[in-house]
Amino acid sequence: IANAGISVLKIEGRARTADYVGTVTRVYRQALDALANESYNPTACNPWIAELSRVFNRGFWHGGYYCGKKIGEWAASSHSQATETRDEIGKLSNFFTHLCVAEFTLRKHDLNPGASLLIEGPTTGALRFEANDLHVDGKPTKRASPGDLVTLRTPKKARRQDNVFLLQKKENNGILD
């Protein structure tokens, strides 16, 4: 597409999450930059495809242009083939900007240090990170349980009322690991 002189790409986003838009935009930007500085090679696609696979997708079509096929033939499935699930576990009740610490009441699931989290909100966008420096009721902990008031450091600013999601890998059969 870039070699054909296309200078603008429309990335679907209106009915998608901030995490989807952020992931797709970042991966496309990296691919276009690799083409521009001539560092692109076919094996560079593997990590990009893996990253795109985490968010909503209906499978990937590695063909050419339209080629007379119906649109339905492009998709591997009518349902998402994402390799990750997201489960809402809370909503930020506070954010301490000077410390870059988020606070929320854990609604469901136990939460352990190292868990993959996503904070998503209209101004924050999508913020993916690992739950490190986990505290319950102001004290360091190795596990938070539903009902606990959790605080943890975030890599960037988030905002009150942002949603907190637990991210988990999904196996091909749909069972979480």
Side-chain angles (χ1 to χ4, degrees), residues 24-44:
V24 172
T25 303
R26 182 178 54 259
V27 168
Y28 277 43
R29 177 78 272 155
Q30 290 170 357
L32 289 168
D33 289 347
L35 279 171
N37 68 27
E38 299 179 7
S39 65
Y40 174 85
N41 66 62
T43 58

Side-chain angles (χ1 to χ4, degrees), residues 4 29 35 44 79 81 83 90 95 98 100 113 123 130-131 135 152 162:
R29 177 78 272 155
L35 279 171
H79 303 290
Q81 302 297 302
T83 60
F95 188 80
H98 61 288
C100 213
T123 305
E130 285 188 7
H135 288 70
L152 48 78
D162 284 352

